[in-house]
PDB file of all heavy atoms in Angstrom:
ATOM      1  N   TYR A 159     103.211  83.824  88.739  1.00 91.00           N
ATOM      2  CA  TYR A 159     103.790  84.596  87.632  1.00 91.00           C
ATOM      3  C   TYR A 159     105.243  84.963  87.902  1.00 91.00           C
ATOM      4  O   TYR A 159     105.951  85.456  87.037  1.00 91.00           O
ATOM      5  CB  TYR A 159     102.927  85.850  87.345  1.00 91.00           C
ATOM      6  CG  TYR A 159     103.042  86.957  88.355  1.00 91.00           C
ATOM      7  CD1 TYR A 159     103.789  88.104  88.094  1.00 91.00           C
ATOM      8  CD2 TYR A 159     102.410  86.859  89.588  1.00 91.00           C
ATOM      9  CE1 TYR A 159     103.906  89.114  89.016  1.00 91.00           C
ATOM     10  CE2 TYR A 159     102.507  87.883  90.519  1.00 91.00           C
ATOM     11  CZ  TYR A 159     103.261  89.006  90.228  1.00 91.00           C
ATOM     12  OH  TYR A 159     103.369  90.006  91.154  1.00 91.00           O
ATOM     13  N   ILE A 160     105.710  84.695  89.143  1.00 92.00           N
ATOM     14  CA  ILE A 160     107.126  84.836  89.462  1.00 92.00           C
ATOM     15  C   ILE A 160     107.576  83.433  89.860  1.00 92.00           C
ATOM     16  O   ILE A 160     107.119  82.923  90.905  1.00 92.00           O
ATOM     17  CB  ILE A 160     107.346  85.853  90.617  1.00 92.00           C
ATOM     18  CG1 ILE A 160     106.833  87.256  90.220  1.00 92.00           C
ATOM     19  CG2 ILE A 160     108.821  85.911  91.006  1.00 92.00           C
ATOM     20  CD1 ILE A 160     106.780  88.274  91.341  1.00 92.00           C
ATOM     21  N   GLU A 195     108.093  91.554  98.605  1.00 98.00           N
ATOM     22  CA  GLU A 195     107.262  91.991  97.463  1.00 98.00           C
ATOM     23  C   GLU A 195     106.609  93.354  97.740  1.00 98.00           C
ATOM     24  O   GLU A 195     107.282  94.257  98.147  1.00 98.00           O
ATOM     25  CB  GLU A 195     106.250  90.898  97.112  1.00 98.00           C
ATOM     26  CG  GLU A 195     106.901  89.621  96.626  1.00 98.00           C
ATOM     27  CD  GLU A 195     107.653  89.798  95.308  1.00 98.00           C
ATOM     28  OE1 GLU A 195     107.465  90.791  94.620  1.00 98.00           O
ATOM     29  OE2 GLU A 195     108.482  88.928  94.969  1.00 98.00           O
ATOM     30  N   SER A 196     105.295  93.457  97.535  1.00 98.00           N
ATOM     31  CA  SER A 196     104.681  94.780  97.568  1.00 98.00           C
ATOM     32  C   SER A 196     104.621  95.423  98.950  1.00 98.00           C
ATOM     33  O   SER A 196     104.314  96.606  99.058  1.00 98.00           O
ATOM     34  CB  SER A 196     103.269  94.725  96.993  1.00 98.00           C
ATOM     35  OG  SER A 196     103.357  94.706  95.587  1.00 98.00           O
ATOM     36  N   VAL A 197     104.899  94.654  99.991  1.00 98.00           N
ATOM     37  CA  VAL A 197     104.958  95.307 101.317  1.00 98.00           C
ATOM     38  C   VAL A 197     106.114  96.308 101.318  1.00 98.00           C
ATOM     39  O   VAL A 197     106.092  97.292 102.049  1.00 98.00           O
ATOM     40  CB  VAL A 197     105.076  94.263 102.451  1.00 98.00           C
ATOM     41  CG1 VAL A 197     105.081  94.958 103.813  1.00 98.00           C
ATOM     42  CG2 VAL A 197     103.927  93.252 102.391  1.00 98.00           C
ATOM     43  N   LYS A 199     106.637  98.492  99.285  1.00 98.00           N
ATOM     44  CA  LYS A 199     106.168  99.811  98.831  1.00 98.00           C
ATOM     45  C   LYS A 199     105.953 100.747 100.021  1.00 98.00           C
ATOM     46  O   LYS A 199     106.048 101.964  99.879  1.00 98.00           O
ATOM     47  CB  LYS A 199     104.862  99.636  98.042  1.00 98.00           C
ATOM     48  CG  LYS A 199     105.065  98.940  96.698  1.00 98.00           C
ATOM     49  CD  LYS A 199     103.754  98.468  96.082  1.00 98.00           C
ATOM     50  CE  LYS A 199     104.002  97.818  94.715  1.00 98.00           C
ATOM     51  NZ  LYS A 199     102.892  96.979  94.266  1.00 98.00           N
ATOM     52  N   PHE A 228      97.238  95.583  91.208  1.00 94.00           N
ATOM     53  CA  PHE A 228      98.501  96.281  91.562  1.00 94.00           C
ATOM     54  C   PHE A 228      99.352  96.626  90.348  1.00 94.00           C
ATOM     55  O   PHE A 228     100.089  97.577  90.384  1.00 94.00           O
ATOM     56  CB  PHE A 228      99.311  95.424  92.546  1.00 94.00           C
ATOM     57  CG  PHE A 228      99.640  94.029  92.086  1.00 94.00           C
ATOM     58  CD1 PHE A 228     100.727  93.786  91.276  1.00 94.00           C
ATOM     59  CD2 PHE A 228      98.852  92.956  92.486  1.00 94.00           C
ATOM     60  CE1 PHE A 228     101.044  92.491  90.873  1.00 94.00           C
ATOM     61  CE2 PHE A 228      99.150  91.669  92.089  1.00 94.00           C
ATOM     62  CZ  PHE A 228     100.253  91.421  91.283  1.00 94.00           C
ATOM     63  N   ASN A 229      99.212  95.825  89.282  1.00 93.00           N
ATOM     64  CA  ASN A 229     100.088  96.024  88.128  1.00 93.00           C
ATOM     65  C   ASN A 229      99.354  96.631  86.940  1.00 93.00           C
ATOM     66  O   ASN A 229      99.755  96.488  85.794  1.00 93.00           O
ATOM     67  CB  ASN A 229     100.731  94.704  87.719  1.00 93.00           C
ATOM     68  CG  ASN A 229      99.661  93.644  87.455  1.00 93.00           C
ATOM     69  OD1 ASN A 229      98.470  93.915  87.556  1.00 93.00           O
ATOM     70  ND2 ASN A 229     100.098  92.446  87.138  1.00 93.00           N
ATOM     71  N   ASN A 247     102.244  99.242  91.766  1.00 97.00           N
ATOM     72  CA  ASN A 247     103.541  99.100  91.070  1.00 97.00           C
ATOM     73  C   ASN A 247     104.012 100.411  90.439  1.00 97.00           C
ATOM     74  O   ASN A 247     105.178 100.804  90.579  1.00 97.00           O
ATOM     75  CB  ASN A 247     103.440  98.029  89.987  1.00 97.00           C
ATOM     76  CG  ASN A 247     103.304  96.639  90.574  1.00 97.00           C
ATOM     77  OD1 ASN A 247     102.989  96.483  91.749  1.00 97.00           O
ATOM     78  ND2 ASN A 247     103.547  95.611  89.751  1.00 97.00           N
ATOM     79  N   GLU A 292     112.434  87.342  89.195  1.00 96.00           N
ATOM     80  CA  GLU A 292     111.551  88.493  88.950  1.00 96.00           C
ATOM     81  C   GLU A 292     112.079  89.368  87.805  1.00 96.00           C
ATOM     82  O   GLU A 292     111.311  89.832  86.962  1.00 96.00           O
ATOM     83  CB  GLU A 292     111.420  89.297  90.243  1.00 96.00           C
ATOM     84  CG  GLU A 292     110.198  90.131  90.284  1.00 96.00           C
ATOM     85  CD  GLU A 292     109.669  90.339  91.701  1.00 96.00           C
ATOM     86  OE1 GLU A 292     109.915  89.530  92.603  1.00 96.00           O
ATOM     87  OE2 GLU A 292     108.992  91.342  91.875  1.00 96.00           O
ATOM     88  N   ASN A 299     105.953  95.245  84.301  1.00 98.00           N
ATOM     89  CA  ASN A 299     106.536  96.371  85.052  1.00 98.00           C
ATOM     90  C   ASN A 299     107.438  97.230  84.161  1.00 98.00           C
ATOM     91  O   ASN A 299     107.531  98.437  84.351  1.00 98.00           O
ATOM     92  CB  ASN A 299     107.303  95.869  86.270  1.00 98.00           C
ATOM     93  CG  ASN A 299     106.366  95.377  87.354  1.00 98.00           C
ATOM     94  OD1 ASN A 299     105.177  95.702  87.343  1.00 98.00           O
ATOM     95  ND2 ASN A 299     106.886  94.594  88.287  1.00 98.00           N
ATOM     96  N   TYR A 323     113.213  98.897  92.180  1.00 98.00           N
ATOM     97  CA  TYR A 323     111.896  98.392  92.609  1.00 98.00           C
ATOM     98  C   TYR A 323     111.903  96.857  92.632  1.00 98.00           C
ATOM     99  O   TYR A 323     111.459  96.229  93.602  1.00 98.00           O
ATOM    100  CB  TYR A 323     110.803  98.910  91.676  1.00 98.00           C
ATOM    101  CG  TYR A 323     109.504  98.168  91.860  1.00 98.00           C
ATOM    102  CD1 TYR A 323     108.710  98.387  92.991  1.00 98.00           C
ATOM    103  CD2 TYR A 323     109.086  97.207  90.934  1.00 98.00           C
ATOM    104  CE1 TYR A 323     107.539  97.659  93.182  1.00 98.00           C
ATOM    105  CE2 TYR A 323     107.916  96.487  91.128  1.00 98.00           C
ATOM    106  CZ  TYR A 323     107.144  96.716  92.247  1.00 98.00           C
ATOM    107  OH  TYR A 323     106.007  96.000  92.457  1.00 98.00           O
ATOM    108  N   CYS A 327     111.589  94.392  96.000  1.00 98.00           N
ATOM    109  CA  CYS A 327     110.547  93.363  96.097  1.00 98.00           C
ATOM    110  C   CYS A 327     111.152  92.012  96.427  1.00 98.00           C
ATOM    111  O   CYS A 327     110.476  91.133  96.980  1.00 98.00           O
ATOM    112  CB  CYS A 327     109.772  93.246  94.794  1.00 98.00           C
ATOM    113  SG  CYS A 327     108.608  94.592  94.526  1.00 98.00           S
ATOM    114  N   TYR A 375      94.674  96.738  97.044  1.00 92.00           N
ATOM    115  CA  TYR A 375      94.304  96.978  95.650  1.00 92.00           C
ATOM    116  C   TYR A 375      92.785  97.053  95.464  1.00 92.00           C
ATOM    117  O   TYR A 375      92.120  97.756  96.220  1.00 92.00           O
ATOM    118  CB  TYR A 375      94.961  95.927  94.737  1.00 92.00           C
ATOM    119  CG  TYR A 375      96.423  95.781  95.062  1.00 92.00           C
ATOM    120  CD1 TYR A 375      96.944  94.598  95.609  1.00 92.00           C
ATOM    121  CD2 TYR A 375      97.295  96.838  94.884  1.00 92.00           C
ATOM    122  CE1 TYR A 375      98.290  94.502  95.944  1.00 92.00           C
ATOM    123  CE2 TYR A 375      98.630  96.731  95.199  1.00 92.00           C
ATOM    124  CZ  TYR A 375      99.116  95.566  95.736  1.00 92.00           C
ATOM    125  OH  TYR A 375     100.430  95.466  96.075  1.00 92.00           O
ATOM    126  N   LYS A 390      98.848  96.386 104.361  1.00 98.00           N
ATOM    127  CA  LYS A 390      99.420  96.264 103.012  1.00 98.00           C
ATOM    128  C   LYS A 390      99.834  94.824 102.782  1.00 98.00           C
ATOM    129  O   LYS A 390     100.445  94.203 103.640  1.00 98.00           O
ATOM    130  CB  LYS A 390     100.649  97.184 102.892  1.00 98.00           C
ATOM    131  CG  LYS A 390     101.361  97.133 101.559  1.00 98.00           C
ATOM    132  CD  LYS A 390     100.604  97.892 100.516  1.00 98.00           C
ATOM    133  CE  LYS A 390     100.910  97.403  99.118  1.00 98.00           C
ATOM    134  NZ  LYS A 390     100.119  96.191  98.738  1.00 98.00           N
ATOM    135  N   SER A 391      99.542  94.331 101.598  1.00 97.00           N
ATOM    136  CA  SER A 391      99.870  92.943 101.284  1.00 97.00           C
ATOM    137  C   SER A 391     101.008  92.872 100.262  1.00 97.00           C
ATOM    138  O   SER A 391     101.353  93.865  99.623  1.00 97.00           O
ATOM    139  CB  SER A 391      98.650  92.275 100.668  1.00 97.00           C
ATOM    140  OG  SER A 391      98.369  92.906  99.434  1.00 97.00           O
ATOM    141  N   GLY A 392     101.555  91.664 100.102  1.00 98.00           N
ATOM    142  CA  GLY A 392     102.540  91.386  99.065  1.00 98.00           C
ATOM    143  C   GLY A 392     102.303  90.012  98.487  1.00 98.00           C
ATOM    144  O   GLY A 392     101.802  89.149  99.214  1.00 98.00           O
ATOM    145  N   VAL A 393     102.675  89.801  97.226  1.00 97.00           N
ATOM    146  CA  VAL A 393     102.409  88.481  96.612  1.00 97.00           C
ATOM    147  C   VAL A 393     103.337  87.383  97.159  1.00 97.00           C
ATOM    148  O   VAL A 393     103.153  86.219  96.836  1.00 97.00           O
ATOM    149  CB  VAL A 393     102.480  88.511  95.054  1.00 97.00           C
ATOM    150  CG1 VAL A 393     101.313  89.269  94.477  1.00 97.00           C
ATOM    151  CG2 VAL A 393     103.811  89.031  94.562  1.00 97.00           C
ATOM    152  N   GLY A 394     104.294  87.749  98.017  1.00 98.00           N
ATOM    153  CA  GLY A 394     105.079  86.735  98.707  1.00 98.00           C
ATOM    154  C   GLY A 394     104.252  86.078  99.808  1.00 98.00           C
ATOM    155  O   GLY A 394     104.675  85.084 100.410  1.00 98.00           O
ATOM    156  N   GLY A 418      95.665  88.724  94.772  1.00 93.00           N
ATOM    157  CA  GLY A 418      97.082  88.642  95.135  1.00 93.00           C
ATOM    158  C   GLY A 418      97.332  88.881  96.617  1.00 93.00           C
ATOM    159  O   GLY A 418      98.431  89.247  97.024  1.00 93.00           O
TER     160      GLY A 418
HETATM  161  N1  LIG B  60     107.136  92.353  92.567  1.00 89.86           N
HETATM  162  C1  LIG B  60     105.742  92.130  92.387  1.00 89.86           C
HETATM  163  C2  LIG B  60     105.305  92.798  91.100  1.00 89.86           C
HETATM  164  O1  LIG B  60     105.853  93.814  90.748  1.00 89.86           O
HETATM  165  C3  LIG B  60     104.988  92.714  93.558  1.00 89.86           C
HETATM  166  C4  LIG B  60     103.495  92.618  93.420  1.00 89.86           C
HETATM  167  C5  LIG B  60     102.795  92.454  94.741  1.00 89.86           C
HETATM  168  O2  LIG B  60     103.340  92.014  95.742  1.00 89.86           O
HETATM  169  N2  LIG B  60     101.499  92.751  94.737  1.00 89.86           N
HETATM  170  O3  LIG B  60     104.448  92.300  90.419  1.00 89.86           O
END
Side-chain angles (χ1 to χ4, degrees):
Y159 73 104
I160 299 170
E195 296 295 345
S196 281
V197 182
K199 291 165 178 162
F228 56 84
N229 55 2
N247 290 16
E292 202 150 335
N299 287 342
Y323 166 74
C327 284
Y375 312 113
K390 178 76 205 82
S391 65
V393 290

